[in-house]
């Protein structure tokens, strides 16, 4: 690979790192061709982009990126694959599901919305992460619950304020 080709790869990687808020580093070494194809298929179905990279080029891209990858640059040893996704927990779910049949891929680390996770022991924590949409849905559900109680109490109290107060006080007691 020429110096120009390396520079181009670093520029491309830097752009990918800048454009994605959810970045996983995984080790998929040792997977045979069939399992690698199955992993790529599982990633595609989950909306996860998978790319195998050279550690030296990835490290340079991380250093020239506008993000602080902290200790992730220190774990760039052995084989490294990048996984990008719009949803923070999608790559973790793919890895966990795939590992039901294989011992790979191993999670090396992840950069999720400016938070850094290092080590395969973080996989379950990453699977349990909620997306922004899930959090917004839960908050809306929590906010709607009191309003539903008031509407229900108003209906059962004969649509009057006195009935509403009486129904709500009976529910508290």
């Amino acid at each position: 690979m020429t110096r120009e080709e390396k520079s181009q790869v670093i520029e491309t990687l830097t752009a990918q790192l800048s454009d994605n808020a959810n970045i996983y580093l995984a080790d998929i070494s040792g997977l045979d061709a069939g399992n690698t194809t199955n992993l790529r298929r599982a990633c595609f179905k989950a909306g996860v982009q998978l790319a195998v990279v050279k550690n030296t080029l990835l490290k340079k891209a991380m250093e020239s990126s506008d993000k602080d990858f902290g200790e992730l640059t220190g774990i760039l040893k052995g084989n490294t694959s990048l996984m990008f996704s719009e949803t923070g927990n999608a790559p973790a779910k793919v890895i966990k599901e795939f590992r039901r049949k294989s011992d790979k891929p191993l999670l090396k680390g992840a950069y999720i919305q400016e938070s850094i996770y290092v080590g395969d022991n973080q996989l379950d924590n990453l699977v349990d992460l909620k997306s922004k949409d899930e959090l917004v849905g839960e908050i809306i559900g929590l906010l709607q619950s009191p309003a539903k109680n008031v509407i229900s109490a108003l209906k059962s109290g004969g649509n009057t304020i006195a009935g509403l107060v009486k129904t709500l006080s009976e529910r508290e007691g």
Side-chain angles (χ1 to χ4, degrees), residues 62-113:
M62 286 176 150
E63 290 168 351
S64 59
S65 170
D66 57 348
K67 296 178 180 173
D68 179 12
F69 289 99
E71 56 192 305
L72 289 181
T73 56
I75 63 170
L76 296 176
K77 294 174 179 67
N79 291 313
T80 303
S81 296
L82 277 173
M83 299 173 90
F84 301 108
S85 174
E86 291 289 319
T87 307
N89 63 1
K93 287 180 178 180
V94 169
I95 291 170
K96 188 165 183 155
E97 180 65 28
F98 200 80
R99 288 210 335 219
R100 290 182 182 193
K101 300 174 190 157
S102 175
D103 60 342
K104 297 277 176 133
L106 294 176
L107 176 68
K108 293 173 113 179
Y111 178 92
I112 311 295
Q113 304 285 332

mmCIF file of all heavy atoms in Angstrom, residues 62-113:
data_model
loop_
_atom_site.group_PDB
_atom_site.id
_atom_site.type_symbol
_atom_site.label_atom_id
_atom_site.label_comp_id
_atom_site.label_asym_id
_atom_site.label_seq_id
_atom_site.Cartn_x
_atom_site.Cartn_y
_atom_site.Cartn_z
ATOM 1 N N MET A 62 -8.211 7.964 14.397
ATOM 2 C CA MET A 62 -8.761 8.356 15.702
ATOM 3 C C MET A 62 -8.063 9.611 16.224
ATOM 4 O O MET A 62 -8.707 10.508 16.771
ATOM 5 C CB MET A 62 -8.605 7.219 16.722
ATOM 6 C CG MET A 62 -9.546 6.067 16.519
ATOM 7 S SD MET A 62 -9.167 4.746 17.714
ATOM 8 C CE MET A 62 -10.780 4.042 17.927
ATOM 9 N N GLU A 63 -6.765 9.652 16.052
ATOM 10 C CA GLU A 63 -5.998 10.813 16.524
ATOM 11 C C GLU A 63 -6.334 12.072 15.741
ATOM 12 O O GLU A 63 -6.307 13.172 16.291
ATOM 13 C CB GLU A 63 -4.493 10.513 16.456
ATOM 14 C CG GLU A 63 -4.060 9.482 17.483
ATOM 15 C CD GLU A 63 -2.652 8.948 17.262
ATOM 16 O OE1 GLU A 63 -2.040 9.243 16.206
ATOM 17 O OE2 GLU A 63 -2.165 8.208 18.150
ATOM 18 N N SER A 64 -6.663 11.940 14.468
ATOM 19 C CA SER A 64 -6.981 13.129 13.670
ATOM 20 C C SER A 64 -8.474 13.464 13.701
ATOM 21 O O SER A 64 -8.892 14.466 13.141
ATOM 22 C CB SER A 64 -6.493 12.965 12.234
ATOM 23 O OG SER A 64 -7.084 11.856 11.625
ATOM 24 N N SER A 65 -9.249 12.633 14.380
ATOM 25 C CA SER A 65 -10.686 12.881 14.510
ATOM 26 C C SER A 65 -10.936 13.980 15.529
ATOM 27 O O SER A 65 -10.097 14.284 16.367
ATOM 28 C CB SER A 65 -11.385 11.585 14.955
ATOM 29 O OG SER A 65 -12.714 11.834 15.299
ATOM 30 N N ASP A 66 -12.132 14.562 15.473
ATOM 31 C CA ASP A 66 -12.508 15.598 16.434
ATOM 32 C C ASP A 66 -13.040 15.001 17.734
ATOM 33 O O ASP A 66 -13.375 15.724 18.666
ATOM 34 C CB ASP A 66 -13.551 16.538 15.824
ATOM 35 C CG ASP A 66 -14.795 15.804 15.344
ATOM 36 O OD1 ASP A 66 -14.761 14.555 15.269
ATOM 37 O OD2 ASP A 66 -15.791 16.474 15.022
ATOM 38 N N LYS A 67 -13.087 13.672 17.832
ATOM 39 C CA LYS A 67 -13.592 12.996 19.030
ATOM 40 C C LYS A 67 -12.432 12.546 19.904
ATOM 41 O O LYS A 67 -11.344 12.272 19.416
ATOM 42 C CB LYS A 67 -14.444 11.786 18.634
ATOM 43 C CG LYS A 67 -15.694 12.167 17.880
ATOM 44 C CD LYS A 67 -16.480 10.954 17.472
ATOM 45 C CE LYS A 67 -17.723 11.396 16.719
ATOM 46 N NZ LYS A 67 -18.443 10.282 16.154
ATOM 47 N N ASP A 68 -12.719 12.424 21.198
ATOM 48 C CA ASP A 68 -11.723 11.929 22.137
ATOM 49 C C ASP A 68 -12.010 10.455 22.397
ATOM 50 O O ASP A 68 -12.953 10.115 23.097
ATOM 51 C CB ASP A 68 -11.783 12.732 23.439
ATOM 52 C CG ASP A 68 -10.769 12.241 24.471
ATOM 53 O OD1 ASP A 68 -9.876 11.445 24.110
ATOM 54 O OD2 ASP A 68 -10.882 12.653 25.637
ATOM 55 N N PHE A 69 -11.195 9.596 21.814
ATOM 56 C CA PHE A 69 -11.398 8.163 21.943
ATOM 57 C C PHE A 69 -10.690 7.583 23.169
ATOM 58 O O PHE A 69 -10.767 6.383 23.417
ATOM 59 C CB PHE A 69 -10.950 7.433 20.671
ATOM 60 C CG PHE A 69 -11.878 7.675 19.518
ATOM 61 C CD1 PHE A 69 -11.568 8.612 18.551
ATOM 62 C CD2 PHE A 69 -13.065 6.985 19.408
ATOM 63 C CE1 PHE A 69 -12.431 8.848 17.494
ATOM 64 C CE2 PHE A 69 -13.932 7.209 18.357
ATOM 65 C CZ PHE A 69 -13.612 8.149 17.393
ATOM 66 N N GLY A 70 -10.029 8.424 23.922
ATOM 67 C CA GLY A 70 -9.416 8.012 25.180
ATOM 68 C C GLY A 70 -8.618 6.737 25.068
ATOM 69 O O GLY A 70 -7.743 6.598 24.220
ATOM 70 N N GLU A 71 -8.945 5.781 25.937
ATOM 71 C CA GLU A 71 -8.180 4.547 26.013
ATOM 72 C C GLU A 71 -8.467 3.560 24.873
ATOM 73 O O GLU A 71 -7.828 2.512 24.792
ATOM 74 C CB GLU A 71 -8.391 3.879 27.368
ATOM 75 C CG GLU A 71 -9.840 3.589 27.706
ATOM 76 C CD GLU A 71 -10.030 3.190 29.160
ATOM 77 O OE1 GLU A 71 -9.374 2.227 29.610
ATOM 78 O OE2 GLU A 71 -10.850 3.836 29.832
ATOM 79 N N LEU A 72 -9.391 3.881 23.983
ATOM 80 C CA LEU A 72 -9.667 2.978 22.862
ATOM 81 C C LEU A 72 -8.466 2.845 21.931
ATOM 82 O O LEU A 72 -8.271 1.786 21.336
ATOM 83 C CB LEU A 72 -10.893 3.435 22.072
ATOM 84 C CG LEU A 72 -12.245 3.267 22.760
ATOM 85 C CD1 LEU A 72 -13.370 3.736 21.845
ATOM 86 C CD2 LEU A 72 -12.481 1.833 23.188
ATOM 87 N N THR A 73 -7.670 3.891 21.805
ATOM 88 C CA THR A 73 -6.486 3.788 20.937
ATOM 89 C C THR A 73 -5.488 2.777 21.499
ATOM 90 O O THR A 73 -4.730 2.184 20.748
ATOM 91 C CB THR A 73 -5.804 5.153 20.743
ATOM 92 O OG1 THR A 73 -5.467 5.694 22.021
ATOM 93 C CG2 THR A 73 -6.693 6.123 19.993
ATOM 94 N N GLY A 74 -5.494 2.567 22.796
ATOM 95 C CA GLY A 74 -4.578 1.617 23.416
ATOM 96 C C GLY A 74 -4.966 0.160 23.245
ATOM 97 O O GLY A 74 -4.151 -0.734 23.502
ATOM 98 N N ILE A 75 -6.185 -0.110 22.829
ATOM 99 C CA ILE A 75 -6.621 -1.504 22.667
ATOM 100 C C ILE A 75 -6.514 -1.978 21.217
ATOM 101 O O ILE A 75 -6.971 -3.059 20.892
ATOM 102 C CB ILE A 75 -8.070 -1.717 23.178
ATOM 103 C CG1 ILE A 75 -9.062 -0.892 22.375
ATOM 104 C CG2 ILE A 75 -8.174 -1.431 24.657
ATOM 105 C CD1 ILE A 75 -10.506 -1.233 22.669
ATOM 106 N N LEU A 76 -5.893 -1.176 20.389
ATOM 107 C CA LEU A 76 -5.756 -1.536 18.971
ATOM 108 C C LEU A 76 -4.583 -2.491 18.772
ATOM 109 O O LEU A 76 -3.518 -2.119 18.315
ATOM 110 C CB LEU A 76 -5.585 -0.278 18.113
ATOM 111 C CG LEU A 76 -6.774 0.661 18.114
ATOM 112 C CD1 LEU A 76 -6.470 1.913 17.308
ATOM 113 C CD2 LEU A 76 -8.010 -0.030 17.580
ATOM 114 N N LYS A 77 -4.802 -3.716 19.160
ATOM 115 C CA LYS A 77 -3.807 -4.779 18.992
ATOM 116 C C LYS A 77 -4.528 -5.973 18.387
ATOM 117 O O LYS A 77 -5.725 -6.145 18.584
ATOM 118 C CB LYS A 77 -3.212 -5.155 20.345
ATOM 119 C CG LYS A 77 -2.404 -4.044 20.986
ATOM 120 C CD LYS A 77 -1.961 -4.432 22.381
ATOM 121 C CE LYS A 77 -1.140 -3.351 23.037
ATOM 122 N NZ LYS A 77 -1.861 -2.130 23.330
ATOM 123 N N GLY A 78 -3.795 -6.789 17.661
ATOM 124 C CA GLY A 78 -4.432 -7.938 17.026
ATOM 125 C C GLY A 78 -5.358 -7.482 15.912
ATOM 126 O O GLY A 78 -5.196 -6.405 15.350
ATOM 127 N N ASN A 79 -6.325 -8.304 15.594
ATOM 128 C CA ASN A 79 -7.277 -7.965 14.535
ATOM 129 C C ASN A 79 -8.365 -7.056 15.080
ATOM 130 O O ASN A 79 -8.868 -7.274 16.170
ATOM 131 C CB ASN A 79 -7.912 -9.227 13.960
ATOM 132 C CG ASN A 79 -6.917 -10.053 13.186
ATOM 133 O OD1 ASN A 79 -6.180 -9.514 12.381
ATOM 134 N ND2 ASN A 79 -6.877 -11.348 13.428
ATOM 135 N N THR A 80 -8.732 -6.050 14.288
ATOM 136 C CA THR A 80 -9.779 -5.124 14.700
ATOM 137 C C THR A 80 -10.752 -4.915 13.553
ATOM 138 O O THR A 80 -10.352 -4.704 12.418
ATOM 139 C CB THR A 80 -9.194 -3.763 15.124
ATOM 140 O OG1 THR A 80 -8.246 -3.974 16.166
ATOM 141 C CG2 THR A 80 -10.279 -2.825 15.619
ATOM 142 N N SER A 81 -12.026 -4.987 13.891
ATOM 143 C CA SER A 81 -13.088 -4.657 12.950
ATOM 144 C C SER A 81 -13.893 -3.524 13.550
ATOM 145 O O SER A 81 -14.090 -3.459 14.760
ATOM 146 C CB SER A 81 -14.001 -5.859 12.730
ATOM 147 O OG SER A 81 -13.287 -6.904 12.128
ATOM 148 N N LEU A 82 -14.349 -2.639 12.699
ATOM 149 C CA LEU A 82 -15.186 -1.512 13.118
ATOM 150 C C LEU A 82 -16.644 -1.846 12.843
ATOM 151 O O LEU A 82 -16.969 -2.431 11.813
ATOM 152 C CB LEU A 82 -14.839 -0.264 12.306
ATOM 153 C CG LEU A 82 -13.657 0.556 12.755
ATOM 154 C CD1 LEU A 82 -13.367 1.648 11.728
ATOM 155 C CD2 LEU A 82 -13.903 1.176 14.102
ATOM 156 N N MET A 83 -17.497 -1.444 13.774
ATOM 157 C CA MET A 83 -18.933 -1.595 13.585
ATOM 158 C C MET A 83 -19.565 -0.238 13.862
ATOM 159 O O MET A 83 -19.337 0.338 14.927
ATOM 160 C CB MET A 83 -19.496 -2.660 14.536
ATOM 161 C CG MET A 83 -18.895 -4.035 14.323
ATOM 162 S SD MET A 83 -19.426 -5.230 15.582
ATOM 163 C CE MET A 83 -20.885 -5.882 14.780
ATOM 164 N N PHE A 84 -20.329 0.264 12.901
ATOM 165 C CA PHE A 84 -21.018 1.549 13.037
ATOM 166 C C PHE A 84 -22.518 1.306 13.011
ATOM 167 O O PHE A 84 -22.999 0.456 12.272
ATOM 168 C CB PHE A 84 -20.694 2.483 11.852
ATOM 169 C CG PHE A 84 -19.239 2.795 11.687
ATOM 170 C CD1 PHE A 84 -18.514 2.248 10.644
ATOM 171 C CD2 PHE A 84 -18.592 3.651 12.559
ATOM 172 C CE1 PHE A 84 -17.176 2.548 10.468
ATOM 173 C CE2 PHE A 84 -17.257 3.955 12.396
ATOM 174 C CZ PHE A 84 -16.540 3.404 11.342
ATOM 175 N N SER A 85 -23.248 2.113 13.789
ATOM 176 C CA SER A 85 -24.698 1.971 13.808
ATOM 177 C C SER A 85 -25.356 3.259 14.274
ATOM 178 O O SER A 85 -24.784 4.003 15.067
ATOM 179 C CB SER A 85 -25.088 0.829 14.744
ATOM 180 O OG SER A 85 -26.482 0.759 14.880
ATOM 181 N N GLU A 86 -26.562 3.507 13.782
ATOM 182 C CA GLU A 86 -27.356 4.648 14.249
ATOM 183 C C GLU A 86 -27.835 4.413 15.676
ATOM 184 O O GLU A 86 -27.960 5.327 16.458
ATOM 185 C CB GLU A 86 -28.575 4.858 13.338
ATOM 186 C CG GLU A 86 -28.239 5.348 11.955
ATOM 187 C CD GLU A 86 -27.765 6.783 11.938
ATOM 188 O OE1 GLU A 86 -28.336 7.613 12.659
ATOM 189 O OE2 GLU A 86 -26.789 7.066 11.213
ATOM 190 N N THR A 87 -28.110 3.145 16.000
ATOM 191 C CA THR A 87 -28.610 2.772 17.319
ATOM 192 C C THR A 87 -27.443 2.283 18.163
ATOM 193 O O THR A 87 -26.691 1.396 17.739
ATOM 194 C CB THR A 87 -29.667 1.659 17.193
ATOM 195 O OG1 THR A 87 -30.660 2.082 16.268
ATOM 196 C CG2 THR A 87 -30.318 1.362 18.523
ATOM 197 N N GLY A 88 -27.316 2.827 19.361
ATOM 198 C CA GLY A 88 -26.168 2.529 20.215
ATOM 199 C C GLY A 88 -25.995 1.074 20.588
ATOM 200 O O GLY A 88 -24.877 0.593 20.718
ATOM 201 N N ASN A 89 -27.092 0.337 20.749
ATOM 202 C CA ASN A 89 -26.967 -1.043 21.205
ATOM 203 C C ASN A 89 -27.064 -2.077 20.081
ATOM 204 O O ASN A 89 -26.923 -3.270 20.331
ATOM 205 C CB ASN A 89 -27.991 -1.351 22.292
ATOM 206 C CG ASN A 89 -29.427 -1.249 21.823
ATOM 207 O OD1 ASN A 89 -29.698 -0.964 20.662
ATOM 208 N ND2 ASN A 89 -30.354 -1.478 22.729
ATOM 209 N N ALA A 90 -27.291 -1.666 18.853
ATOM 210 C CA ALA A 90 -27.461 -2.623 17.748
ATOM 211 C C ALA A 90 -26.238 -3.518 17.534
ATOM 212 O O ALA A 90 -26.392 -4.743 17.432
ATOM 213 C CB ALA A 90 -27.839 -1.897 16.459
ATOM 214 N N PRO A 91 -25.014 -2.965 17.472
ATOM 215 C CA PRO A 91 -23.862 -3.868 17.304
ATOM 216 C C PRO A 91 -23.698 -4.840 18.475
ATOM 217 O O PRO A 91 -23.345 -6.000 18.276
ATOM 218 C CB PRO A 91 -22.668 -2.908 17.217
ATOM 219 C CG PRO A 91 -23.252 -1.627 16.720
ATOM 220 C CD PRO A 91 -24.610 -1.562 17.363
ATOM 221 N N ALA A 92 -23.975 -4.384 19.691
ATOM 222 C CA ALA A 92 -23.868 -5.266 20.855
ATOM 223 C C ALA A 92 -24.856 -6.415 20.745
ATOM 224 O O ALA A 92 -24.532 -7.565 21.065
ATOM 225 C CB ALA A 92 -24.104 -4.473 22.138
ATOM 226 N N LYS A 93 -26.064 -6.119 20.286
ATOM 227 C CA LYS A 93 -27.065 -7.177 20.115
ATOM 228 C C LYS A 93 -26.633 -8.173 19.045
ATOM 229 O O LYS A 93 -26.826 -9.380 19.196
ATOM 230 C CB LYS A 93 -28.419 -6.569 19.764
ATOM 231 C CG LYS A 93 -29.084 -5.880 20.940
ATOM 232 C CD LYS A 93 -30.419 -5.282 20.548
ATOM 233 C CE LYS A 93 -31.113 -4.632 21.737
ATOM 234 N NZ LYS A 93 -32.406 -4.045 21.361
ATOM 235 N N VAL A 94 -26.043 -7.677 17.958
ATOM 236 C CA VAL A 94 -25.560 -8.560 16.891
ATOM 237 C C VAL A 94 -24.464 -9.467 17.438
ATOM 238 O O VAL A 94 -24.474 -10.687 17.210
ATOM 239 C CB VAL A 94 -25.040 -7.754 15.678
ATOM 240 C CG1 VAL A 94 -24.292 -8.649 14.701
ATOM 241 C CG2 VAL A 94 -26.183 -7.042 14.976
ATOM 242 N N ILE A 95 -23.518 -8.883 18.171
ATOM 243 C CA ILE A 95 -22.412 -9.670 18.737
ATOM 244 C C ILE A 95 -22.957 -10.738 19.685
ATOM 245 O O ILE A 95 -22.588 -11.910 19.602
ATOM 246 C CB ILE A 95 -21.399 -8.758 19.463
ATOM 247 C CG1 ILE A 95 -20.650 -7.873 18.451
ATOM 248 C CG2 ILE A 95 -20.417 -9.582 20.287
ATOM 249 C CD1 ILE A 95 -19.806 -6.780 19.075
ATOM 250 N N LYS A 96 -23.840 -10.338 20.583
ATOM 251 C CA LYS A 96 -24.371 -11.279 21.570
ATOM 252 C C LYS A 96 -25.133 -12.410 20.890
ATOM 253 O O LYS A 96 -24.961 -13.585 21.234
ATOM 254 C CB LYS A 96 -25.270 -10.549 22.565
ATOM 255 C CG LYS A 96 -25.692 -11.428 23.712
ATOM 256 C CD LYS A 96 -26.263 -10.644 24.844
ATOM 257 C CE LYS A 96 -26.583 -11.600 25.984
ATOM 258 N NZ LYS A 96 -26.593 -10.946 27.249
ATOM 259 N N GLU A 97 -25.970 -12.072 19.922
ATOM 260 C CA GLU A 97 -26.741 -13.094 19.200
ATOM 261 C C GLU A 97 -25.807 -14.030 18.434
ATOM 262 O O GLU A 97 -25.989 -15.246 18.443
ATOM 263 C CB GLU A 97 -27.729 -12.424 18.243
ATOM 264 C CG GLU A 97 -28.573 -13.379 17.435
ATOM 265 C CD GLU A 97 -29.515 -14.221 18.282
ATOM 266 O OE1 GLU A 97 -29.932 -13.768 19.370
ATOM 267 O OE2 GLU A 97 -29.816 -15.362 17.863
ATOM 268 N N PHE A 98 -24.787 -13.460 17.787
ATOM 269 C CA PHE A 98 -23.871 -14.271 16.988
ATOM 270 C C PHE A 98 -23.071 -15.220 17.872
ATOM 271 O O PHE A 98 -22.738 -16.328 17.458
ATOM 272 C CB PHE A 98 -22.936 -13.366 16.176
ATOM 273 C CG PHE A 98 -22.314 -14.047 15.006
ATOM 274 C CD1 PHE A 98 -23.019 -14.208 13.829
ATOM 275 C CD2 PHE A 98 -21.027 -14.559 15.079
ATOM 276 C CE1 PHE A 98 -22.455 -14.860 12.742
ATOM 277 C CE2 PHE A 98 -20.462 -15.215 14.004
ATOM 278 C CZ PHE A 98 -21.175 -15.363 12.830
ATOM 279 N N ARG A 99 -22.781 -14.793 19.084
ATOM 280 C CA ARG A 99 -21.962 -15.608 19.987
ATOM 281 C C ARG A 99 -22.740 -16.765 20.600
ATOM 282 O O ARG A 99 -22.167 -17.574 21.321
ATOM 283 C CB ARG A 99 -21.330 -14.740 21.070
ATOM 284 C CG ARG A 99 -20.245 -13.892 20.462
ATOM 285 C CD ARG A 99 -19.107 -13.513 21.309
ATOM 286 N NE ARG A 99 -19.264 -13.466 22.715
ATOM 287 C CZ ARG A 99 -18.720 -12.541 23.479
ATOM 288 N NH1 ARG A 99 -18.013 -11.562 22.942
ATOM 289 N NH2 ARG A 99 -18.876 -12.568 24.771
ATOM 290 N N ARG A 100 -23.999 -16.895 20.291
ATOM 291 C CA ARG A 100 -24.732 -18.088 20.728
ATOM 292 C C ARG A 100 -24.209 -19.317 19.992
ATOM 293 O O ARG A 100 -24.317 -20.431 20.487
ATOM 294 C CB ARG A 100 -26.226 -17.933 20.462
ATOM 295 C CG ARG A 100 -26.873 -16.923 21.352
ATOM 296 C CD ARG A 100 -28.347 -16.853 21.090
ATOM 297 N NE ARG A 100 -28.949 -15.826 21.928
ATOM 298 C CZ ARG A 100 -30.233 -15.689 22.103
ATOM 299 N NH1 ARG A 100 -31.072 -16.504 21.490
ATOM 300 N NH2 ARG A 100 -30.697 -14.741 22.870
ATOM 301 N N LYS A 101 -23.638 -19.093 18.786
ATOM 302 C CA LYS A 101 -23.152 -20.200 17.963
ATOM 303 C C LYS A 101 -21.629 -20.194 17.802
ATOM 304 O O LYS A 101 -21.070 -21.122 17.249
ATOM 305 C CB LYS A 101 -23.785 -20.114 16.569
ATOM 306 C CG LYS A 101 -25.281 -20.199 16.572
ATOM 307 C CD LYS A 101 -25.838 -19.953 15.191
ATOM 308 C CE LYS A 101 -27.336 -19.795 15.261
ATOM 309 N NZ LYS A 101 -27.892 -19.067 14.141
ATOM 310 N N SER A 102 -20.977 -19.125 18.243
ATOM 311 C CA SER A 102 -19.538 -18.975 18.021
ATOM 312 C C SER A 102 -18.916 -18.240 19.207
ATOM 313 O O SER A 102 -19.617 -17.576 19.960
ATOM 314 C CB SER A 102 -19.324 -18.168 16.729
ATOM 315 O OG SER A 102 -17.963 -17.903 16.529
ATOM 316 N N ASP A 103 -17.616 -18.360 19.368
ATOM 317 C CA ASP A 103 -16.966 -17.632 20.455
ATOM 318 C C ASP A 103 -16.500 -16.244 20.012
ATOM 319 O O ASP A 103 -15.934 -15.490 20.800
ATOM 320 C CB ASP A 103 -15.790 -18.440 21.020
ATOM 321 C CG ASP A 103 -14.721 -18.723 19.981
ATOM 322 O OD1 ASP A 103 -15.014 -18.610 18.775
ATOM 323 O OD2 ASP A 103 -13.590 -19.061 20.373
ATOM 324 N N LYS A 104 -16.737 -15.908 18.763
ATOM 325 C CA LYS A 104 -16.382 -14.594 18.232
ATOM 326 C C LYS A 104 -17.640 -13.960 17.668
ATOM 327 O O LYS A 104 -18.597 -14.656 17.388
ATOM 328 C CB LYS A 104 -15.324 -14.721 17.112
ATOM 329 C CG LYS A 104 -13.997 -15.286 17.553
ATOM 330 C CD LYS A 104 -13.121 -14.241 18.156
ATOM 331 C CE LYS A 104 -11.835 -14.867 18.662
ATOM 332 N NZ LYS A 104 -10.652 -14.205 18.313
ATOM 333 N N PRO A 105 -17.701 -12.703 17.468
ATOM 334 C CA PRO A 105 -16.666 -11.696 17.707
ATOM 335 C C PRO A 105 -16.556 -11.340 19.189
ATOM 336 O O PRO A 105 -17.513 -11.467 19.949
ATOM 337 C CB PRO A 105 -17.148 -10.497 16.899
ATOM 338 C CG PRO A 105 -18.602 -10.688 16.704
ATOM 339 C CD PRO A 105 -18.871 -12.155 16.811
ATOM 340 N N LEU A 106 -15.371 -10.885 19.551
ATOM 341 C CA LEU A 106 -15.133 -10.377 20.895
ATOM 342 C C LEU A 106 -15.206 -8.860 20.857
ATOM 343 O O LEU A 106 -14.674 -8.234 19.938
ATOM 344 C CB LEU A 106 -13.753 -10.806 21.400
ATOM 345 C CG LEU A 106 -13.543 -12.295 21.635
ATOM 346 C CD1 LEU A 106 -12.098 -12.560 22.030
ATOM 347 C CD2 LEU A 106 -14.487 -12.808 22.707
ATOM 348 N N LEU A 107 -15.828 -8.288 21.847
ATOM 349 C CA LEU A 107 -15.901 -6.833 21.940
ATOM 350 C C LEU A 107 -14.602 -6.319 22.536
ATOM 351 O O LEU A 107 -14.214 -6.707 23.627
ATOM 352 C CB LEU A 107 -17.084 -6.407 22.825
ATOM 353 C CG LEU A 107 -17.206 -4.911 23.067
ATOM 354 C CD1 LEU A 107 -17.570 -4.179 21.785
ATOM 355 C CD2 LEU A 107 -18.229 -4.635 24.152
ATOM 356 N N LYS A 108 -13.921 -5.467 21.796
ATOM 357 C CA LYS A 108 -12.701 -4.848 22.310
ATOM 358 C C LYS A 108 -13.044 -3.551 23.040
ATOM 359 O O LYS A 108 -12.484 -3.250 24.084
ATOM 360 C CB LYS A 108 -11.735 -4.562 21.162
ATOM 361 C CG LYS A 108 -11.182 -5.794 20.495
ATOM 362 C CD LYS A 108 -10.372 -5.430 19.282
ATOM 363 C CE LYS A 108 -8.940 -5.769 19.513
ATOM 364 N NZ LYS A 108 -8.097 -5.462 18.339
ATOM 365 N N GLY A 109 -13.947 -2.793 22.446
ATOM 366 C CA GLY A 109 -14.350 -1.535 23.057
ATOM 367 C C GLY A 109 -15.410 -0.857 22.215
ATOM 368 O O GLY A 109 -15.714 -1.283 21.100
ATOM 369 N N ALA A 110 -15.976 0.219 22.773
ATOM 370 C CA ALA A 110 -17.026 0.948 22.054
ATOM 371 C C ALA A 110 -17.004 2.414 22.460
ATOM 372 O O ALA A 110 -16.631 2.760 23.585
ATOM 373 C CB ALA A 110 -18.384 0.341 22.347
ATOM 374 N N TYR A 111 -17.398 3.244 21.518
ATOM 375 C CA TYR A 111 -17.582 4.678 21.726
ATOM 376 C C TYR A 111 -19.046 4.949 21.416
ATOM 377 O O TYR A 111 -19.468 4.879 20.265
ATOM 378 C CB TYR A 111 -16.662 5.451 20.772
ATOM 379 C CG TYR A 111 -16.790 6.956 20.848
ATOM 380 C CD1 TYR A 111 -15.982 7.694 21.690
ATOM 381 C CD2 TYR A 111 -17.719 7.629 20.070
ATOM 382 C CE1 TYR A 111 -16.078 9.081 21.753
ATOM 383 C CE2 TYR A 111 -17.837 9.010 20.123
ATOM 384 C CZ TYR A 111 -17.015 9.730 20.965
ATOM 385 O OH TYR A 111 -17.126 11.102 21.031
ATOM 386 N N ILE A 112 -19.837 5.197 22.473
ATOM 387 C CA ILE A 112 -21.277 5.379 22.312
ATOM 388 C C ILE A 112 -21.648 6.764 22.820
ATOM 389 O O ILE A 112 -21.569 7.029 24.023
ATOM 390 C CB ILE A 112 -22.081 4.320 23.108
ATOM 391 C CG1 ILE A 112 -21.564 2.912 22.848
ATOM 392 C CG2 ILE A 112 -23.571 4.452 22.815
ATOM 393 C CD1 ILE A 112 -21.733 2.422 21.454
ATOM 394 N N GLN A 113 -22.042 7.643 21.904
ATOM 395 C CA GLN A 113 -22.490 8.990 22.284
ATOM 396 C C GLN A 113 -21.515 9.641 23.268
ATOM 397 O O GLN A 113 -21.911 10.126 24.317
ATOM 398 C CB GLN A 113 -23.888 8.928 22.906
ATOM 399 C CG GLN A 113 -24.940 8.291 22.050
ATOM 400 C CD GLN A 113 -25.403 9.176 20.908
ATOM 401 O OE1 GLN A 113 -25.366 10.381 20.992
ATOM 402 N NE2 GLN A 113 -25.840 8.556 19.834
#
